[in-house]
Amino acid sequence: MTTVPTRALGHLDRLEAESIHILRETVAEVERPVMLYSIGKDSAAMLHLALKAFHPSKPPFPLLHVNTMWKFKEMIAFRDKTIKELGIEMLEYINPQGIDIKISPFDHGSKLHTQIMKTEALKQALDKWKFDAAFGGARRDEEKSRAKERVLSFRTAQHRWDPKNQRPEFWRLYNTRKAQGESLRIFPMSNWTEADVWDYIARENIPVVPLYFAKKRPVVSRDGALIMVDDDRMKLLPGEKIEHKMVRFRTLGCYPLTGGFESTATTLEDIIAEMRASRSSERQGRLIDHDGSSSMEQKKQEGYF
Amino acid sequence: MPNALAAHAPHPGSSKLVITDKPLLRFITCGSVDDGKSTLIGRLLFDADLAPDDLIAALEIDSKKHGTQGEALDFALLVDGLAAEREQGITIDVAYRYFATEKRKFIVADTPGHEQYTRNMAVGASTADLAILLVDARKGILPQTRRHSVITSMFGVRHVVVAVNKMDLVSYSEEVFHKIEADFRDFAKNLRFTSIYVAPLVAKDGDNLVKKSAHMDWHKGPPLLGYLETVAIEDSTQIAPFRFPVQWVNRPNLDFRGFSGLISGGNIRPDDIIRILPAGRDTRVTRIVTYDGDLESGVSGQSVTLTLTEEIDISRGDLLCSPVSPAKVGDRLEAKILWLVRESLIPGKSYLLKIGTKITPAHILSVDAHIEIETGLADPLPSGAALNFNEMGEAKLALETAVACDPFSENRETGGFILIDRITNETVAVGMVRAIANSSGRATPALTDLSYASMEGVPVASHAESLAGHNRKMASFTLTTALLTTTLAYVFVKETTLALEIGLSQTLALSGLFYLHEKLWHAPAGQSDQPQKETIIDGGGL
């Protein structure tokens, strides 16, 4: 048995302890928790925190991946490998409506795609399995309307978020009570920043999807963003041509909606150095956030995570 | 237990990487509507070079659309988030901001200045180490400033910075500044701040925020950011006695039974004796289990899992404590409470009280005093008085089951509670324990009790066995007490006959109490309101 000497608690230790506390509080008080697993770095860190929180038990809840059918192939491969290695139950949900209409962000636009494949799909999945609490890896530093989100975000039976009717949170006391049909979104990493997540991934040696590291990838420059040609569903527009560039991604989502950028950061050290020097915010590469200045807030009210 | 993730090859390049874990300072900002609080934070982020370029670009657009600064950048818009409040031009909720410098990592709770949102400030204060109170140099200390001071002090903030803003509008006058400083220090005498720093600022220009102001060379103190980077913040829970609210019983298989929680006071090592409250039994810690291996010691602020020498019946809501300074146990609380909802407090109505990880039904017996938020002073109220939205008072509460807790002044993690409405599920009140008592008048279990334990999950010992155990325990207790008290008495009086007499009388008295205690506390349990969640969890995957 290894024994770990005690050291002074730094901010990563404190953030970790807080997240673990939130995970345990929820599991102890709700009926059917689930962890939203979106395969990205925040999900990777959150999953790692869950392994820590319940050790030596396994996390006492399944993971849920709401699949849009447009994720990067490398993300799905990484997901399957992670689940297999950890021996954790994972549920996958795809909105059947999206399959019926052969949903495509290229043909239907990012707004409708997100609405059907993410917002509606999540609600359907939570209803299908009757989950009353869903953990998400969202952080308050990501976006302005997230900055006011509580750790425990209360949702009506229609999954709506009312920013003016959120429960006050004091000390470490969370009120998880809810009526039949109502549910909670729980953000154990509310107080983490992007820099904290990368520092933690490095410190804890947490595996992440290789797309975060720069590599020669086939991309097309479209509307000022570098979109990776991940499969043959991506049709080139007149004048576009596929180029092979050293690119990486700062956030991951559906490949047609995720802009990459040119980078030479091939190691974690490079990534962290690049991020520290960066003069742009994290969600800049996310095309869905820019539908309007308050668009994230609106999506959240409609039930988006 | 092997873990798959740790078995991965290290990340490329990670061996060279130095992760600097920095001290963390949490602070809140409070001010009246127009004191420029959001501007101060926005400007702090901007000057510390922390606001990303695309946000600044968005800010330029927003400043033209919603700004209040004409053509200049309106830094407040960096911070104000929701559409509704942009229209109103005020912050309506608690917003959290994050930044780091070379020395420290900061979490800022930006809390509203609007009078009706007292509760949001209380939320921000509850986790803050330090408060920044914004004061308009032209107006000086206002009733709102006093309210904010009282609330932050009451919720446990011990360090305060008074940021005297808009100094440009009083011609950077040293006299005006000194008058405000003197007024504040005089007012704050009765509050529980251990440090006060008063700084003159012009937030919109960045004067004295990151760099010293050229206009105010008469001010000798550091600029605001420099102060925040260096102010000494003690973690009061680390020097408090050991406290560990049990969150979750960790039972992966029949061979392991641990108790998971976050250490809320003091520290713990294997072999330490701990007391389980409210049951009042003692046992010993065997291991401090974490995913990264067992710890040599655990300190306040860490989330760990403890295993114990004996298979004692412990469940969520129990508090593990130092046996030397255990928490108090009782079913009557005297507390300060802040009422959070529009529907007034109704004495006699049943609520759920959550303290630590324990939830128990409770009702308010009486509101005895109204606390004037501008002064912190309590005015006695006639019986049957109510408490309205955003009002603070002193109240007595009756709990359905006894809980273990501390006065809030001794530990804010184990002395703060919330009340939940059983119908609407809203959090209706937040409270701070002042005193703990017992309805039956029986003493708090304080006697060491290191013998047998019942095993949860296995058939309970027969009545005869338990009685035999009881008698053995009684005998051993009597003997120990007799020896201890006699020896102690001898040390004090240095006279054998007298010492024996004292020892005998003490032993008789204590044994009587002990017998009563055993009778009372080992009565069949099971009236706990807390649902036994373990069964659900042990079911594994869903």
Side-chain angles (χ1 to χ4, degrees):
Chain A
M1 188 192 304
T2 51
T3 306
V4 185
T6 317
R7 58 202 161 83
L9 300 185
H11 74 278
L12 289 179
D13 300 319
R14 290 194 183 273
L15 290 171
E16 178 189 78
E18 177 181 89
S19 301
I20 289 175
H21 178 265
I22 294 163
L23 287 161
R24 289 171 174 171
E25 253 339 74
T26 310
V27 160
E29 290 198 354
V30 306
E31 295 293 326
R32 288 175 69 83
V34 67
M35 178 170 279
L36 269 288
Y37 179 71
S38 65
I39 319 177
K41 64 180 193 311
D42 300 309
S43 284
M46 182 167 63
L47 176 56
H48 186 73
L49 288 163
L51 296 174
K52 287 196 159 191
F54 303 99
H55 173 85
S57 296
K58 286 204 169 156
F61 42 77
L63 304 183
L64 170 64
H65 177 226
V66 175
N67 197 346
T68 62
M69 305 190 293
W70 287 91
K71 299 294 175 192
F72 288 89
K73 286 199 291 277
E74 279 183 81
M75 289 173 74
I76 301 299
F78 178 86
R79 177 195 77 179
D80 295 344
K81 182 166 167 269
T82 303
I83 296 312
K84 196 167 161 235
E85 281 173 0
L86 295 177
I88 290 181
E89 184 188 1
M90 194 206 68
L91 307 167
E92 182 183 58
Y93 187 82
I94 302 173
N95 186 347
Q97 196 196 348
I99 300 174
D100 287 349
I101 64 169
K102 292 197 166 54
I103 191 94
S104 157
F106 296 125
D107 302 333
H108 299 93
S110 73
K111 206 170 171 181
L112 188 66
H113 173 75
T114 304
Q115 176 69 25
I116 292 175
M117 299 313 283
K118 293 175 90 172
T119 310
E120 289 304 320
L122 174 63
K123 290 193 245 180
Q124 289 169 5
L126 297 179
D127 290 343
K128 177 183 174 184
W129 284 292
K130 297 194 166 48
F131 293 122
D132 61 346
F135 295 111
R139 293 172 282 108
R140 286 176 179 147
D141 84 321
E142 276 178 61
E143 204 273 339
K144 276 199 246 182
S145 72
R146 295 239 193 251
K148 318 218 157 178
E149 181 64 285
R150 302 292 202 272
V151 171
L152 253 73
S153 178
F154 177 78
R155 303 298 164 99
T156 64
Q158 292 74 43
H159 297 283
R160 284 188 72 89
W161 178 65
D162 177 1
K164 287 191 180 157
N165 189 25
Q166 294 296 309
R167 292 170 180 170
E169 290 169 350
F170 299 93
W171 304 293
R172 299 183 195 276
L173 298 172
Y174 300 103
N175 173 2
T176 63
R177 306 263 308 176
K178 58 203 169 320
Q180 193 70 35
E182 294 170 343
S183 61
L184 298 167
R185 305 288 181 275
I186 291 148
F187 305 109
M189 300 174 70
S190 286
N191 284 324
W192 295 58
T193 64
E194 185 188 15
D196 296 331
V197 172
W198 281 115
D199 283 350
Y200 190 68
I201 283 168
R203 187 180 92 170
E204 303 284 314
N205 193 28
I206 301 167
V208 290
V209 183
L211 291 161
Y212 287 111
F213 299 95
K215 197 179 136 185
K216 271 230 155 54
R217 296 189 165 97
V219 291
V220 165
S221 178
R222 183 177 290 182
D223 300 330
L226 292 175
I227 304 296
M228 180 166 152
V229 184
D230 199 46
D231 57 38
D232 56 16
R233 289 180 295 177
M234 181 160 173
K235 304 282 180 264
L236 297 190
L237 300 175
E240 282 182 345
K241 64 174 197 307
I242 296 173
E243 294 171 280
H244 285 80
K245 289 186 169 170
M246 281 291 279
V247 293
R248 66 178 203 90
F249 297 86
R250 195 162 166 189
T251 63
L252 295 177
C254 299
Y255 82 79
L257 300 176
T258 309
F261 60 98
E262 290 191 71
S263 165
T264 53
T266 54
T267 67
L268 209 49
E269 190 180 42
D270 296 342
I271 287 178
I272 291 172
E274 197 177 81
M275 182 191 52
R276 283 179 185 155
S278 165
R279 295 291 303 151
S280 65
S281 70
E282 182 182 11
R283 295 190 72 89
Q284 200 187 25
R286 289 282 182 107
L287 306 183
I288 62 158
D289 292 353
H290 303 302
D291 303 344
S293 198
S294 295
S295 64
M296 174 70 98
E297 183 184 346
Q298 208 164 348
K299 284 195 188 68
K300 278 171 68 78
Q301 289 191 16
E302 288 161 7
Y304 184 75
F305 222 71
Chain B
M1 191 176 211
N3 71 73
L5 285 180
H8 275 269
H11 284 289
S14 64
S15 59
K16 291 175 282 176
L17 200 67
V18 180
I19 304 298
T20 44
D21 224 2
K22 296 169 187 169
L24 178 66
L25 178 75
R26 292 182 186 233
F27 67 90
I28 74 165
T29 53
C30 340
S32 306
V33 180
D34 299 318
D35 292 338
K37 188 163 35 72
S38 296
T39 307
L40 179 121
I41 300 173
R43 183 84 215 196
L44 208 56
L45 297 179
F46 182 78
D47 281 4
D49 216 19
L50 298 156
D53 278 348
D54 57 321
L55 290 188
I56 296 292
L59 174 66
E60 280 168 14
I61 298 166
D62 282 357
S63 292
K64 292 202 179 94
K65 215 153 76 179
H66 306 284
T68 56
Q69 302 292 320
E71 284 298 300
L73 289 183
D74 186 352
F75 292 100
L77 296 176
L78 267 184
V79 182
D80 287 347
L82 300 183
E85 71 199 81
R86 278 207 208 156
E87 282 150 25
Q88 292 170 29
I90 54 160
T91 314
I92 56 168
D93 210 333
V94 192
Y96 293 88
R97 304 287 150 189
Y98 305 84
F99 67 99
T101 64
E102 286 300 310
K103 295 195 179 105
R104 267 188 184 163
K105 167 102 197 163
F106 297 94
I107 299 181
V108 190
D110 183 17
T111 55
H114 209 287
E115 212 166 332
Q116 66 180 309
Y117 289 105
T118 305
R119 76 166 204 182
N120 293 333
M121 183 165 351
V123 168
S126 78
T127 52
D129 306 303
L130 178 146
I132 297 181
L133 305 177
L134 260 286
V135 170
D136 185 324
R138 294 169 300 173
K139 298 177 187 160
I141 308 299
L142 293 178
Q144 287 98 317
T145 320
R146 290 195 279 268
R147 295 170 69 89
H148 301 157
S149 312
V150 168
I151 293 165
T152 48
S153 164
M154 216 170 260
F155 277 80
V157 175
R158 293 289 160 261
H159 303 273
V160 65
V161 174
V162 180
V164 183
N165 193 23
K166 307 195 181 179
M167 284 299 291
D168 54 329
L169 301 181
V170 294
S171 314
Y172 307 100
S173 161
E174 188 176 358
E175 273 161 46
V176 171
F177 174 78
H178 284 311
K179 166 85 169 60
I180 293 172
E181 169 155 21
D183 285 353
F184 185 82
R185 287 191 185 276
D186 184 52
F187 161 73
K189 280 199 307 265
N190 301 319
L191 302 178
R192 307 181 64 136
F193 297 126
T194 54
S195 82
I196 296 174
Y197 180 59
V198 188
L201 303 174
V202 185
K204 71 175 173 60
D205 299 339
D207 266 29
N208 223 8
L209 275 188
V210 177
K211 294 191 187 87
K212 283 186 79 78
S213 166
H215 297 107
M216 294 176 282
D217 53 4
W218 45 263
H219 180 68
K220 300 299 171 224
L224 184 64
L225 185 62
Y227 182 76
L228 296 175
E229 280 184 316
T230 51
V231 56
I233 302 289
E234 75 292 344
D235 180 352
S236 62
T237 64
Q238 294 209 341
I239 50 169
F242 177 68
R243 297 288 183 265
F244 186 80
V246 174
Q247 278 192 287
W248 190 69
V249 180
N250 195 332
R251 205 164 36 177
N253 53 55
L254 290 174
D255 301 327
F256 186 93
R257 184 181 176 80
F259 304 95
S260 299
L262 187 142
I263 303 173
S264 306
N267 53 68
I268 191 76
R269 289 172 169 277
D271 272 347
D272 283 355
I273 294 172
I274 48 140
R275 178 157 309 161
I276 299 138
L277 293 178
R281 297 176 175 194
D282 287 6
T283 184
R284 213 177 272 276
V285 172
T286 43
R287 294 170 57 195
I288 304 168
V289 179
T290 74
Y291 177 88
D292 302 301
D294 286 9
L295 301 185
E296 283 172 4
S297 73
V299 296
S300 181
Q302 282 183 305
S303 283
V304 298
T305 297
L306 302 179
T307 62
L308 307 172
T309 45
E310 288 155 284
E311 290 281 321
I312 291 180
D313 179 4
I314 296 173
S315 49
R316 174 172 165 83
D318 286 345
L319 184 66
L320 310 187
C321 294
S322 147
V324 181
S325 346
K328 313 270 188 309
V329 173
D331 59 2
R332 291 284 186 274
L333 298 181
E334 275 180 46
K336 286 183 182 172
I337 61 174
L338 169 65
W339 197 250
L340 304 168
V341 291
R342 301 228 170 247
E343 187 196 329
S344 300
L345 175 159
I346 305 167
K349 183 176 167 182
S350 177
Y351 298 100
L352 292 175
L353 177 139
K354 183 171 187 184
I355 188 161
T357 54
K358 176 78 177 173
I359 297 177
T360 182
H363 64 271
I364 294 169
L365 290 172
S366 60
V367 183
D368 304 324
H370 176 260
I371 296 171
E372 182 51 63
I373 301 187
E374 278 173 29
T375 57
L377 300 175
D379 300 320
L381 285 174
S383 70
L387 208 55
N388 301 316
F389 182 48
N390 265 331
E391 286 186 342
M392 286 201 78
E394 290 177 3
K396 287 195 185 73
L397 294 95
L399 318 185
E400 205 165 290
T401 51
V403 298
C405 59
D406 290 297
F408 183 79
S409 57
E410 289 172 21
N411 190 325
R412 70 175 173 176
E413 304 253 344
T414 51
F417 63 86
I418 54 173
L419 290 179
I420 301 166
D421 187 293
R422 306 179 84 162
I423 309 295
T424 66
N425 294 326
E426 280 181 299
T427 303
V428 295
V430 55
M432 286 144 286
V433 174
R434 303 173 68 212
I436 301 107
N438 244 299
S439 55
S440 63
R442 67 178 186 247
T444 297
L447 305 169
T448 307
D449 177 4
L450 240 184
S451 43
Y452 86 110
S454 72
M455 271 190 209
E456 197 198 42
V458 298
V460 178
S462 73
H463 183 66
E465 276 167 358
S466 116
L467 203 66
H470 216 264
N471 289 341
R472 266 202 312 279
K473 192 159 98 171
M474 184 77 195
S476 94
F477 175 80
T478 311
L479 191 67
T480 318
T481 317
L483 277 170
L484 266 173
T485 44
T486 311
T487 317
L488 261 175
Y490 184 73
V491 168
F492 280 107
V493 298
K494 302 278 179 210
E495 215 262 86
T496 320
T497 332
L498 190 58
L500 276 172
E501 264 178 44
I502 294 169
L504 187 67
S505 62
Q506 282 292 306
T507 306
L508 280 173
L510 282 171
S511 301
L513 272 176
F514 180 69
Y515 181 73
L516 270 175
H517 157 241
E518 287 295 300
K519 273 273 175 248
L520 288 168
W521 284 96
H522 292 190
Q527 63 270 54
S528 163
D529 184 66
Q530 189 81 354
Q532 287 297 314
K533 291 289 304 177
E534 283 166 55
T535 47
I536 294 161
I537 287 141
D538 282 350
L542 291 160

